[in-house]
Amino acid sequence: DVNPIKHLLFILRQRAAGNRVSFSAYVKGHEGIRLGRGCKIHADASVDASRSPGVVFGDKVTLNRYAYVQGGNGGVRLGDRVEVNNFSIINGTGGVDIGSDTLIGPGVRIISYQHRHARNATIRSQPVIAAPITIGSDCWLGANCVILAGVTIGNGAVIAAGAVVREPVPDHAVVAGVPATVRKFRE
């Protein structure tokens, strides 16, 4: 559970540093969170940095209502001016690194692990496979797309709404579909 005194002190320290953290944001692992300047964590957003190496926000990062960032064992780093929209999830079990000026649409799932699924044991009892996700700068991840473990998305890429990305995406590519494939390149 979150200690209300630690939570209040964290919010007040962040406000003194030029950040806006809502009193109704859920923040766990305060000591593992580093915010740049001018960041906003809106009401009902969640940040869990209870596992090392934690969560790092660049300058002017926005975490909108009901967005969830979980540092996990690999950690999460968001570059300057990244915006994470409502109901999106970023899971850092394998590590997630997102470049500056990237927009993450509503309902996006960035999940840096997957379950093994051999037949000799229940899926639940098998270990997970963690793999880092790297997303370049100036990307746009459309509503409800899914980015799977081990994926690298190049600078300037656009991921269409509802796409499932399981392979690398080149710089400036526009991808769509399940599984996502390159449809064209930004002009």
Side-chain angles (χ1 to χ4, degrees):
D1 286 320
V2 175
N3 179 319
I5 302 298
K6 280 186 178 180
H7 187 66
L8 178 61
L9 291 173
F10 175 80
I11 290 170
L12 294 175
R13 276 193 307 272
Q14 292 308 319
R15 288 188 177 188
N19 297 311
R20 290 186 12 215
V21 178
S22 171
F23 286 106
S24 64
Y26 175 81
V27 180
K28 183 177 180 184
H30 300 87
E31 59 282 346
I33 299 171
R34 291 198 333 251
L35 301 182
R37 297 197 53 81
C39 293
K40 298 176 190 173
I41 300 176
H42 289 273
D44 303 312
S46 300
V47 180
D48 180 351
S50 59
R51 293 185 182 166
S52 187
V55 175
V56 177
F57 287 11
D59 293 337
K60 298 182 179 178
V61 169
T62 300
L63 192 62
N64 286 306
R65 291 173 59 103
Y66 304 107
Y68 178 53
V69 176
Q70 180 183 34
N73 294 329
V76 172
R77 189 195 71 78
L78 305 178
D80 297 339
R81 298 169 304 280
V82 169
E83 182 165 356
V84 183
N85 270 293
N86 310 63
F87 301 101
S88 290
I89 295 173
I90 301 173
N91 174 281
T93 298
V96 175
D97 191 325
I98 299 174
S100 297
D101 299 304
T102 289
L103 301 176
I104 299 171
V108 170
R109 305 294 187 251
I110 300 171
I111 309 297
S112 62
Y113 74 95
Q114 58 187 317
H115 285 274
R116 293 185 187 268
H117 51 275
R119 290 180 63 181
N120 61 347
T122 62
I123 293 171
R124 182 180 183 87
S125 68
Q126 296 182 52
V128 297
I129 303 166
I133 294 173
T134 303
I135 299 171
S137 297
D138 186 33
C139 293
W140 176 19
L141 281 60
N144 297 312
C145 70
V146 178
I147 313 301
L148 297 175
V151 166
T152 297
I153 296 174
N155 294 322
V158 175
I159 312 302
V164 176
V165 181
R166 60 183 200 180
E167 300 291 332
V169 175
D171 289 352
H172 308 290
V174 177
V175 301
V178 179
T181 56
V182 175
R183 303 299 172 97
K184 63 180 182 178
F185 286 85
R186 286 174 61 188
E187 295 179 10

